[in-house]
Amino acid sequence: MNIVIIGGVAGGMSAAARLRRLDESATITVVERSGHVSFASCGLPYHVGGVIEQRSSLLLQTPESLRARFDLDVRVRTEAVRIDRDRRVVVVRSLAGGEESELPYDALVLAPGARPVRPPIPGIERALALRSVEDTDAMVAAVAGARTAVVVGGGFIGVETAENLLRRGLAVTMVEATPQVMAPLDPEMAAPVHAALREAGVDLRLSTSVTAIGEQDVELSTGERVPADLVVAAIGVRPDTALAEAAGLAIGERGGIVVDDHLRTSDPAIYAVGDAVEKADALDGSAMLVPLANTANLQGRRVADLIAGRDVRDRPVLGTAIVGVLGLQVATVGWNEKRLVAAGRPHRVIHTHPLSHAGYYPGAQGLALKLLVDPGTDAILGAQAVGRDGADKRIDVIATAMRGGLTASDLAELELAYAPQFGSAKDPVNMLGFVAENLATGLDDSLQWHEVEDAQRRGATVLDVRTPREHAAGAIPGAVNLPVDELRDRLAEVPEGELVVHCAVGVRGHVATRILAAEGRAARNLDGGYATWAAGVAARS
């Protein structure tokens, strides 16, 4: 069997190596446009910043090592220029000499990845991208003579690149066209990321775009000109579908190659994997683009299984992701609240602010967690975590729970590893489950940070049950301070009418609502307390 794979790195090389392990007799040829077929693409920004000191550390395999280990014919600096589907051949061109040749195939795998978005901004040719080893070499060289940098885009690559340019001593401006960085986060969850960037010295320009790139500066939509010895375009990526389109393969509504659950394209002899293909959303089955290494690697493995005759299927995706930002861990899974609102999908929101591990053990760090739940079924729709420690494992647990079909209330029942330096006897994930259970059973009722103002307009009283010192340090306008530890003795002072109760993070607020419930007073607990309200207001302003 002749198998041709177009594109290396995650999806392509996973497919090639797995195919060899399954079929020793197949002829496997890998065609890669760049000079490197197997490299650590997620490590590129960290080589720019000097965290990964040796360039060679990024290079995982070479054509020679892949020939020796897996008997693969790997052709780098070789471009696939067209596919003849009738004859089942791929025409390839050597980028070194320009000569063309044909590769016959019984099965063809497309793994071309994604291309950086390059908007039609005057001077955009001066902006560097960061997708390949060659891109990294160019950026390392440019950084050596630079003092100022503008990073256009505040997504995953943008924030990682900004952090690493700071490490190299550059003055960094980040320009983001939307009101927040990190689009998978909701606004109140992005607020600590904004704070971390600004505290580190990044000049963060939100709701601002670049209108032109000059020789030594960039022009912003505000009319300002910002010095820029170096410009990085980190606006996002689009599926690289040029070859597939030219071959007449189906392209989906999101702009990716359409594949079925066997990763077949509209031509049954041609498969496609990785960043170039549309995936099925695990929550509603809709087409989505998820340019993440985990999914690309798994699809590479699965397509090899399928070509080898094994009965497997591509799984739908949750979009589980994490990024490091100046000491913060920012992790997400599933849908965010913005998307749920836009889709008109009913949802319940839970915010908590636990510590990463037991508070009495040194080094505990604060976490901000957000859980999104279907109020009818208690299904978990998504989650977000931001903090300096422990965000990764909490999102991983929730992602696993979603994959296993557990409900939000089921999180309370998880038996998770505990020792004081690693977690708490009631882990933050368990605590989310406790809150979800209270809401699902009607024991508690909550209000979101963005609903407080409307409640006050209706005449509701905001009851702050924190200490007077906490209240004096920062309070919701118009709130009445009545500490929870004094509430039972001062019930007569609680105003009549609708009540919204809050504390710092929601725990004391829950206690207060139970005290009030025992006296026949209905009250709603401000979800996530003052901490979430303050973050949300800061993000909105």
Side-chain angles (χ1 to χ4, degrees), residues 315-332:
R315 59 144 167 79
V317 296
L318 292 167
T320 311
I322 188 168
V323 65
V325 187
L326 297 160
L328 284 179
Q329 301 171 358
V330 181
T332 67

Side-chain angles (χ1 to χ4, degrees), residues 40 50 330 472 491 533:
V330 181
L491 287 168
W533 177 88

Side-chain angles (χ1 to χ4, degrees), residues 452 456 459-464 471 475-481 495 500 502 533:
V452 171
Q456 288 178 306
T461 297
V462 175
L463 191 64
D464 182 353
H471 181 79
I476 297 174
V480 175
N481 184 217
V500 175
H502 86 84
W533 177 88

